[in-house]
Amino acid sequence: MYPEEICALYWRECEGLCKATNKKYYPKAVSILKEIKTICDKSHMEAEWQAKFAAFTEWHRRKKCLMELMAREKGLA
């Protein structure tokens, strides 16, 4: 698989976990975000990461628990 396809699958999984609005899924979603960022960094897809991550945080900005977990993770933003 290519990095773009892998990232697309991970984004879908992450969105699915966050749409459930069940806080117990948020740590897994943050873990997936870290994996996506790693793949994007290694594949020189930083611009795509920034755009998708900004859209993701804007969409889920009202989920305080998720935002706090993301803020605790170093290197996500």
Side-chain angles (χ1 to χ4, degrees):
M1 278 195 164
Y2 296 102
E4 296 86 8
E5 294 171 345
I6 294 169
C7 285
L9 290 172
Y10 278 153
W11 276 116
R12 257 184 263 132
E13 183 179 0
C14 188
E15 285 289 349
L17 290 170
C18 292
K19 284 182 182 172
T21 62
N22 190 333
K23 293 178 185 178
K24 71 180 184 181
Y25 297 131
Y26 292 167
K28 177 67 174 165
V30 172
S31 174
I32 293 169
L33 287 172
K34 286 177 18 182
E35 185 65 30
I36 295 169
K37 176 137 177 43
T38 302
I39 293 169
C40 287
D41 288 346
K42 289 181 180 179
S43 303
H44 307 292
M45 297 169 29
E46 291 87 1
E48 180 179 320
W49 162 257
Q50 289 295 330
K52 287 232 182 194
F53 186 69
F56 178 85
T57 54
E58 178 62 26
W59 183 258
H60 297 288
R61 72 185 181 276
R62 297 180 72 184
K63 297 174 182 166
K64 291 182 193 261
C65 185
L66 176 62
M67 294 294 116
E68 288 172 5
L69 285 171
M70 288 173 23
R72 285 187 208 144
E73 286 300 324
K74 296 193 178 9
L76 261 187

